[in-house]
Amino acid sequence: MKHILTIILLLTNMAYWGVAPVSAKQKAKEKDFISLAYVWLPALNMHNLKPAEVNDMLDRYNWNGISDVSLIGGVFLTGKDGSIITAWNKEEWPAVFEGIDYKGDSINEQRHRDQLCSKKVLKKVVKYFKKKGINIWICQTAYSWITGGSIGVVVEDHDMTMAYAKRLNKLAREFGCTGIDFDWEFPPTPRQAQGYRELMQESKRLGMKVSVCAIEPTVGNSYLDNCTPEEAGINNNHEARYMKWEDIIDQEMVDYINVMQYLGYNPKTKQMDVNVKYKKMNVWEKAYPQEFTDDRKVKMLCGIGYYSFMLPEAKKGKKIQGKGTLNYNQLYEKYGKSAYTDRVVGGEHAVWTTDDVRDIVKTAKAKGWSGVFTWVVSHDFTLEHPLKYNRQQALAEEVEKIWKEECKK
């Protein structure tokens, strides 16, 4: 009787969100080569939109060639008491965590809370992507790049972590999600990293697919990317040294590792260089060679960034906040049509071209990577611009060729 009631409750939740149960036929259509896109809801101003405005906002962007989307920000947050914070349960919110981030500034959890979307808006977002046949993930984020804030408090306590895992997975199921994406790259202590792994492992045990974002392996010191902000003062001293990727892979704690190799700047040519990116990929290939074969335990995805790298010399004499990166629409606004095709826009910003994007997708497939993912579609040209300059369209055309070959097998 209890089992029957559980099924009825699950189906009721699915009906509420407009999500149909996954059939055996639908499961058979899952892609071998994944094309994941992060959807950064605060950047789309979703928290300020009315439900009727959601579709028009999303229709501005190209969702072709995408098998999965991961909703980051705006959906939920972690309370330091192990609660799930949403826009619709404000009366249950615990006090904000008070602490310092990696730059020595106060962690501003309230700012993230102010960006939470209403249930009606989220319902519209879910329906939009489900209608396109795209799988949905939700992201477990931290409040700071390195310092976790409230999630750091939760994962220090085993019992709180297990209770939180149940709440998190319940929320994911209510949304009809395929899985949960863990997007905290650098737990700063061994205990927090252990609890973080426990949270991932428990989520998978509860039946959800699990992915985790990564930047560098925990072996060797040859990673070639500047993966933390300069203000952190860490300088590649293994920010991820506590993650224990070897255990995560060996014990199959996750289904996917999303390697955030977004850029590949060559300081000699002063351009983006796919070969620099492939050297970064090779660090992971050497560290975990089995994960690029048919005998893999965990699938690895390769990231592509839809934003610029500002040349260091271009920053001189200017008051540049952060890294000075611009997305493609911002580049167009500042430099005009040269943003469509130039490898270095305005002599200041190195970017991936459409040809580069095609090359990365094809190489990822050839090297045994399990797919690609992008940060983020809303950084690409909107559909007001010619489609031939759209990086997502270039990615889609190559990904769809791979999917076509999959169907023949």
Side-chain angles (χ1 to χ4, degrees), residues 97 139 156 161 170 199 214 248 263 275 288 353 392-393:
F97 174 89
C139 288
E156 285 181 349
T161 299
K170 179 182 177 183
L199 180 56
I248 289 173
L263 305 180
N275 291 312
Y288 311 107
T353 65
Q392 181 59 36
Q393 184 61 24

Side-chain angles (χ1 to χ4, degrees), residues 353-370:
T353 65
T354 53
D355 287 342
D356 290 334
V357 171
R358 292 178 186 278
D359 197 304
I360 293 167
V361 174
K362 290 186 283 189
T363 302
K365 176 62 176 176
K367 284 179 170 283
W369 286 65
S370 298

Side-chain angles (χ1 to χ4, degrees), residues 52-99:
E53 298 172 317
V54 169
N55 285 7
D56 286 342
M57 172 60 76
L58 294 175
D59 279 345
R60 297 179 64 201
Y61 301 97
N62 185 357
W63 305 104
N64 291 335
I66 295 172
S67 61
D68 299 70
V69 296
S70 191
L71 306 181
I72 185 166
V75 179
F76 75 99
L77 295 168
T78 308
K80 63 183 180 181
D81 59 353
S83 61
I84 297 287
I85 296 172
T86 64
W88 54 90
N89 68 352
K90 285 188 177 182
E91 68 282 356
E92 301 171 14
W93 287 5
V96 296
F97 174 89
E98 294 184 0

Side-chain angles (χ1 to χ4, degrees), residues 14-26:
M14 287 178 167
Y16 177 80
W17 286 98
V19 177
V22 179
S23 67
K25 185 176 181 181
Q26 286 173 311

Side-chain angles (χ1 to χ4, degrees), residues 129-145:
F129 290 114
K130 287 288 182 181
K131 192 172 182 180
K132 291 180 178 294
I134 295 174
N135 298 318
I136 296 177
W137 299 61
I138 54 174
C139 288
Q140 170 64 65
T141 60
Y143 288 96
S144 176
W145 180 261

Side-chain angles (χ1 to χ4, degrees), residues 190-400:
R191 181 64 192 92
Q192 289 188 16
Q194 178 185 334
Y196 192 43
R197 292 191 298 275
E198 291 171 355
L199 180 56
M200 290 185 277
Q201 198 166 22
E202 180 65 5
S203 295
K204 188 173 180 183
R205 190 192 70 79
L206 289 170
M208 297 300 295
K209 283 191 174 182
V210 173
S211 63
V212 58
C213 290
I215 291 182
E216 61 179 327
T218 43
V219 293
N221 61 355
S222 57
Y223 198 72
L224 303 175
D225 203 5
N226 176 19
C227 53
T228 55
E230 294 170 4
E231 303 95 314
I234 292 177
N235 298 325
N236 207 28
N237 278 331
H238 287 303
E239 307 81 73
R241 61 190 176 278
Y242 300 129
M243 284 295 287
K244 293 191 177 180
W245 293 114
E246 294 78 9
D247 291 350
I248 289 173
I249 291 171
D250 185 59
Q251 298 175 35
E252 300 180 60
M253 296 181 187
V254 302
D255 298 284
Y256 303 96
I257 295 176
N258 298 340
V259 182
M260 300 164 65
Q261 297 171 337
Y262 293 136
L263 305 180
Y265 178 68
N266 187 330
K268 293 181 179 179
T269 63
K270 302 186 185 304
Q271 295 181 359
M272 293 288 223
D273 186 338
V274 291
N275 291 312
V276 171
K277 182 174 180 60
Y278 301 152
K279 286 180 181 178
K280 298 179 188 180
M281 292 167 62
N282 189 245
V283 175
W284 284 85
E285 291 167 334
K286 286 182 176 179
Y288 311 107
Q290 182 176 313
E291 306 320 306
F292 306 93
T293 71
D294 291 338
D295 296 325
R296 60 174 66 97
K297 291 184 177 180
V298 174
K299 295 182 177 181
M300 291 198 177
L301 308 185
C302 171
I304 305 174
Y306 290 163
Y307 58 93
S308 73
F309 177 88
M310 190 172 188
L311 277 59
E313 55 267 34
K315 297 180 184 179
K316 292 180 180 178
K318 301 175 183 177
K319 294 181 179 179
I320 302 296
Q321 296 293 323
K323 292 183 179 293
T325 61
L326 296 177
N327 64 46
Y328 285 99
N329 292 296
Q330 291 169 332
L331 290 168
Y332 181 83
E333 290 171 6
K334 187 172 183 179
Y335 301 104
K337 292 184 178 180
S338 63
Y340 288 153
T341 57
D342 286 3
R343 299 192 66 85
V344 182
V345 184
E348 297 184 332
H349 293 269
V351 296
W352 292 126
T353 65
T354 53
D355 287 342
D356 290 334
V357 171
R358 292 178 186 278
D359 197 304
I360 293 167
V361 174
K362 290 186 283 189
T363 302
K365 176 62 176 176
K367 284 179 170 283
W369 286 65
S370 298
V372 292
F373 66 100
T374 53
W375 181 266
V376 285
V377 171
S378 56
H379 281 358
D380 195 8
F381 288 115
T382 61
L383 293 178
E384 297 166 338
H385 298 272
L387 198 59
K388 64 181 179 179
Y389 304 124
N390 189 278
R391 271 56 176 177
Q392 181 59 36
Q393 184 61 24
L395 181 146
E397 290 172 7
E398 297 304 323
V399 165
E400 286 166 1

